[in-house]
Amino acid sequence: MCGIAGIWYLSKKPLAKEKLIRFTDSLSHRGPDDGSYWIDRCGFLGLGHRKLSILDPSPLGNQPMPYANDRYRIVYNGEVFNFLELKRELEIKNYQFRTNTDTEVILAAYDCWGKDCLNKFNGMWAFAIWDELQQSLFLARDRFGIKPLYYTYKSHDTFAFASETYAFKFLDGFNREFNKKHLAINIADSFSLEGHGHTIYKNIFQVLPGHYLEINAKTIGIQQNRWWSTLSSTTEFSDNYFEQVEYFRELFFDAIKLRTPKVIPFASALSGGLDSSSIYCGIYHIMNNATAHGTMPDNWQKAFVATFPGTSIDERCYAEQVIEFTKGEVEYTVPDLTKLAQKIKDTTVLFDNIYLTPMLPICEIYSAMKRMKIKISMDGHGVDEMLFGYPSMMESIIQLKYNGSLHKHNDILETMLNMNSSHDRDLIRKRLTNNSYSGILSGIKSIAKKVLPDVVKQFLTKYRIAGNEFGINLNGRPYSLTNEPYNIENLSLEQRIPFQTFHITLLPTILRNFDRASMQSGIEIRMPFMDYRLVSFIFSIPFTSKVGDGHVKRIVKDAMKGIIPEAIRTRKWKVGFNAPMEEWFSGELKEFILDEINSSVFMHADVWNGNAVRQFAEKRIKEKSWTHDDCITFWPVLNAHLLISNNNQS
């Protein structure tokens, strides 16, 4: 896991090595172990790499790695977990290897199969391969965008890429400016850009998940090409639900085994929810049934749990049940409230994106791992988005398919209600009792700040609900940079909601968040639920295998019977991993917020109405009346302000 960067002066201007080093080393947090830099023989193109040593810590594993008598040169961020299988296949074809890395296997696979090699990889990656013979650059990203890849391009002048938008602050000759239209849209909707390939900056784009691009000196304009489509990769499955459960369990355990490091210490970020508990207990189950414990790290039972004592989002009691069940080791992290405001600012600036909540609590989980010299975390991302794990996904079905009726599909309603706190259940019942247009409008507005599929977001945009409160202009939704947009018109609503949530709206943003938070401490996250075989299977099975018997994520819960604590397996209420904003905004961060919203930069911002936002925040600070919805409405504005202030100082 690393940070990668590259600069190509298409104008044939010489590239000074110090410029490449400065650009690359801005990503040193991603690869704290080493830095390497290479400039081609013509002197116009350079590749840089910040190394986080995982598979081969020797100098032979360094990048940019050459191959085939220096015809190819690669910089690569990620892990291809089935590389040993591919290595054996390539050795049969007379390919030889001098390292123990998956990096060299990628190069050999590219030489052997060209871009079709991507379909053979099982893992997560973002890489760039320079072909000296063809004088071309090939960039590719994994199926679901677990690892990031950003670029900027000016025809016949410059092409540059990096693992984070943050690096472009340090790209010589590039003036990093905000795209105010995208900034406004992203403040109002945190899930609006990532799945379309755009960023909050002018002329900084990202290679989309499951896409590649090729560029040479004669390229005019860049076209991203889709190489992976989940819609065309669905699988055959048994009509028997119990056989589906068995097959899911087999795939899940195999995905864990494939991602389990053999000698490198690893841990898990554990919340006490179904997904992270399934990963942690799944590892425990596999290890306790393994025949060769000697090949595994000694500390594989380590779990890291974020706790927020005295707040409504503290899930420690659930995590404790998992630890008791496995008799594993645990490290509880409690946010250090000393210098909280400065920590919020620092992590937000390095995050360099906009989200609903501060990244600090997530960052501190992985920072704790780093302090204990752990480099890999096995985490449970991707399940909620595939299997209706968010209440808003279920509410969208009720609102849009059943017109908010309490009677037409009572089991879906009850399932959704039980995912919320008892207080919220009563409010939702009252809202859904009103089946008139105004009732539906109110219902959708109340969940607009949570996770919603595009069909609902389009409704919000049409009626100009989101953003008006702070005077934010939402005109002009971003288009997708793909050459082949997903055609989901023929999907049912039950199929379309998770498909959009997984591929276009929520998950791309969540993956970005956890990549930034973990890589601020140089921690690699491995995600067994994101194994493409498992994803393809989930998107093949019917709605009734996903939601039923009063539960969402039905197939996961049934597959984990006997593997995780029963109380965790049957748990219905979802909390989510957030910062305790209601408490912080009324307490430790109160003075910080007041200082920022009264600053000249904030008040004169041309993206929002500074006076309106200030009145909104001051009222809640004075009355100590912050609600969760208030916080996730306000924080994206303050988040954007912190980025703007920092960018102005650079």
Side-chain angles (χ1 to χ4, degrees):
M1 202 58 57
C2 313
I4 64 174
I7 303 171
W8 187 1
Y9 287 141
L10 302 166
S11 61
K12 298 186 177 181
K13 179 176 72 173
L15 172 60
K17 190 172 183 178
E18 58 267 22
K19 294 180 180 179
L20 176 64
I21 292 174
R22 183 170 184 263
F23 187 42
T24 305
D25 282 4
S26 67
L27 300 170
S28 59
H29 51 278
R30 298 185 69 91
D33 294 333
D34 199 3
S36 299
Y37 323 90
W38 171 83
I39 295 178
D40 81 312
R41 57 184 176 80
C42 295
F44 310 139
L45 177 140
L47 302 176
H49 183 258
R50 290 297 315 190
K51 183 178 182 180
L52 177 65
S53 299
I54 299 290
L55 293 178
D56 188 346
S58 74
L60 287 176
N62 285 354
Q63 302 177 34
M65 181 182 285
Y67 190 76
N69 295 320
D70 289 347
R71 173 178 175 175
Y72 303 112
R73 188 82 55 159
I74 188 174
V75 283
Y76 158 50
N77 170 30
E79 299 283 350
V80 171
F81 300 114
N82 64 332
F83 81 99
L84 290 176
E85 172 189 330
L86 294 174
K87 187 175 185 178
R88 289 190 291 270
E89 184 177 350
L90 288 161
E91 284 174 335
I92 293 172
K93 296 177 178 290
N94 296 320
Y95 281 87
Q96 296 180 344
F97 299 90
R98 63 189 185 94
T99 75
N100 296 317
T101 66
D102 56 339
T103 310
E104 191 176 17
V105 173
I106 290 174
L107 283 164
Y110 182 72
D111 182 71
C112 182
W113 297 299
K115 60 179 176 287
D116 290 338
C117 69
L118 299 171
N119 289 290
K120 290 182 170 287
F121 300 154
N122 186 343
M124 52 186 182
W125 66 85
F127 64 71
I129 297 176
W130 169 250
D131 185 335
E132 182 73 21
L133 182 63
Q134 298 296 327
Q135 291 287 290
S136 65
L137 196 61
F138 178 81
L139 294 90
R141 198 170 173 206
D142 64 71
R143 291 170 179 83
F144 310 120
I146 299 173
K147 301 317 300 175
L149 187 55
Y150 297 90
Y151 67 90
T152 186
Y153 171 69
K154 184 177 180 182
S155 182
H156 302 301
D157 187 276
T158 303
F159 177 83
F161 66 87
S163 295
E164 297 180 11
T165 54
Y166 181 76
F168 291 87
K169 291 176 62 176
F170 305 91
L171 176 60
D172 186 72
F174 183 80
N175 182 23
R176 199 177 74 149
E177 297 180 63
F178 288 98
N179 182 321
K180 292 180 181 177
K181 183 174 76 171
H182 287 175
L183 190 65
I185 291 170
N186 212 205
I187 290 170
D189 176 3
S190 294
F191 312 110
S192 58
L193 300 181
E194 207 71 21
H196 296 290
H198 295 276
T199 73
I200 56 177
Y201 296 104
K202 290 181 180 178
N203 202 26
I204 301 179
F205 308 97
Q206 59 176 308
V207 178
L208 285 162
H211 284 68
Y212 69 87
L213 62 85
E214 297 173 291
I215 180 171
N216 59 51
K218 297 179 181 179
T219 297
I220 300 176
I222 287 181
Q223 177 62 67
Q224 295 200 33
N225 300 291
R226 182 184 294 282
W227 67 266
W228 169 264
S229 169
T230 303
L231 285 177
S232 60
S233 303
T234 52
T235 61
E236 297 292 328
F237 61 90
S238 170
D239 291 336
N240 185 300
Y241 174 67
F242 298 104
E243 292 180 3
Q244 293 174 25
V245 171
E246 286 299 316
Y247 185 60
F248 176 89
R249 185 187 294 113
E250 291 175 10
L251 279 179
F252 177 59
F253 284 157
D254 190 63
I256 290 178
K257 292 174 185 176
L258 195 62
R259 286 159 178 77
T260 301
K262 299 300 184 288
V263 293
I264 302 295
F266 71 98
S268 289
L270 176 66
S271 71
L274 173 69
D275 310 341
S276 64
S277 299
S278 295
I279 296 293
Y280 184 68
C281 293
I283 297 168
Y284 169 82
H285 177 81
I286 291 168
M287 294 297 196
N288 281 349
N289 289 278
T291 57
H293 287 278
T295 62
M296 300 300 176
D298 293 332
N299 62 342
W300 55 265
Q301 283 190 311
K302 194 75 171 179
F304 286 76
V305 179
T307 65
F308 307 97
T311 72
S312 59
I313 65 171
D314 188 28
E315 295 188 274
R316 176 169 178 157
C317 63
Y318 300 110
E320 286 175 340
Q321 295 179 53
V322 177
I323 297 301
E324 176 61 26
F325 183 82
T326 60
K327 307 301 181 186
E329 300 177 29
V330 64
E331 184 80 15
Y332 294 104
T333 68
V334 181
D336 182 359
L337 300 183
T338 61
K339 298 183 179 179
L340 179 62
Q342 189 60 50
K343 292 176 182 176
I344 291 281
K345 290 176 71 172
D346 291 345
T347 53
T348 300
V349 167
L350 196 52
F351 174 56
D352 205 39
N353 287 278
I354 295 172
Y355 190 56
L356 298 172
T357 67
M359 287 292 104
L360 180 62
I362 305 177
C363 294
E364 293 207 334
I365 278 278
Y366 299 106
S367 177
M369 291 186 186
K370 180 181 181 179
R371 288 194 297 271
M372 300 192 74
K373 302 189 183 305
I374 288 169
K375 291 187 174 183
I376 297 171
S377 184
M378 296 273 275
D379 293 359
H381 306 297
V383 184
D384 285 326
E385 296 78 11
M386 288 189 282
L387 291 166
F388 293 88
Y390 297 98
S392 58
M393 297 173 73
M394 296 295 291
E395 188 163 349
S396 296
I397 289 181
I398 295 170
Q399 293 282 17
L400 298 175
K401 189 166 185 175
Y402 303 110
N403 199 30
S405 171
L406 289 173
H407 309 292
K408 289 184 179 178
H409 220 301
N410 199 53
D411 57 337
I412 292 180
L413 173 64
E414 292 302 319
T415 299
M416 182 271 295
L417 289 173
N418 287 330
M419 298 170 72
N420 294 274
S421 67
S422 56
H423 175 263
D424 288 340
R425 287 175 213 159
D426 293 337
L427 294 176
I428 294 169
R429 278 188 185 276
K430 290 178 182 178
R431 182 171 69 241
L432 294 178
T433 301
N434 183 353
N435 290 330
S436 67
Y437 166 80
S438 60
I440 297 172
L441 185 65
S442 173
I444 294 178
K445 182 178 179 180
S446 72
I447 59 173
K449 305 175 190 74
K450 301 177 185 177
V451 182
L452 292 175
D454 277 352
V455 65
V456 183
K457 292 179 181 176
Q458 290 164 4
F459 182 94
L460 291 170
T461 302
K462 180 178 179 181
Y463 292 100
R464 297 185 57 75
I465 300 168
N468 273 355
E469 193 165 16
F470 294 158
I472 298 172
N473 184 354
L474 299 180
N475 289 329
R477 306 288 288 188
Y479 61 92
S480 177
L481 298 178
T482 182
N483 69 321
E484 187 181 326
Y486 275 124
N487 181 6
I488 58 176
E489 295 301 318
N490 294 327
L491 297 181
S492 67
L493 185 63
E494 290 88 348
Q495 294 172 316
R496 192 159 67 246
I497 287 175
F499 193 91
Q500 289 181 308
T501 305
F502 187 92
H503 293 92
I504 302 170
T505 55
L506 177 65
L507 187 61
T509 302
I510 296 297
L511 293 176
R512 175 204 67 192
N513 292 352
F514 276 88
D515 173 80
R516 297 300 181 281
S518 62
M519 293 308 292
Q520 285 189 17
S521 295
I523 302 296
E524 171 184 315
I525 299 180
R526 298 185 178 184
M527 308 176 185
F529 282 118
M530 297 292 291
D531 188 299
Y532 78 94
R533 300 167 301 167
L534 194 150
V535 172
S536 294
F537 175 66
I538 289 297
F539 279 104
S540 302
I541 60 178
F543 179 70
T544 52
S545 298
K546 304 173 185 179
V547 177
D549 299 331
H551 292 273
V552 298
K553 301 191 275 193
R554 180 190 181 195
I555 195 169
V556 179
K557 293 187 175 185
D558 287 339
M560 291 298 103
K561 191 168 186 178
I563 307 296
I564 67 175
E566 190 66 8
I568 302 299
R569 190 182 74 85
T570 57
R571 179 184 169 192
K572 295 181 178 179
W573 179 33
K574 182 174 181 59
V575 176
F577 191 6
N578 298 303
M581 292 183 291
E582 296 165 58
E583 291 83 2
W584 284 359
F585 287 7
S586 294
E588 290 81 6
L589 292 179
K590 178 177 67 175
E591 296 303 324
F592 164 67
I593 291 173
L594 288 172
D595 287 345
E596 295 298 335
I597 63 178
N598 281 286
S599 68
S600 176
V601 173
F602 188 92
M603 288 300 296
H604 293 96
D606 52 7
V607 178
W608 56 81
N609 183 321
N611 191 53
V613 181
R614 182 174 64 180
Q615 290 180 11
F616 177 93
E618 286 182 339
K619 179 177 186 294
R620 284 150 181 81
I621 288 173
K622 181 179 179 180
E623 299 173 354
K624 294 185 177 180
S625 61
W626 287 101
T627 66
H628 178 70
D629 282 355
D630 290 337
C631 293
I632 62 176
T633 300
F634 170 73
W635 172 256
V637 181
L638 187 58
N639 185 159
H641 162 69
L642 295 176
L643 297 184
I644 291 170
S645 299
N646 179 264
N647 205 57
N648 290 343
Q649 294 169 6
S650 300

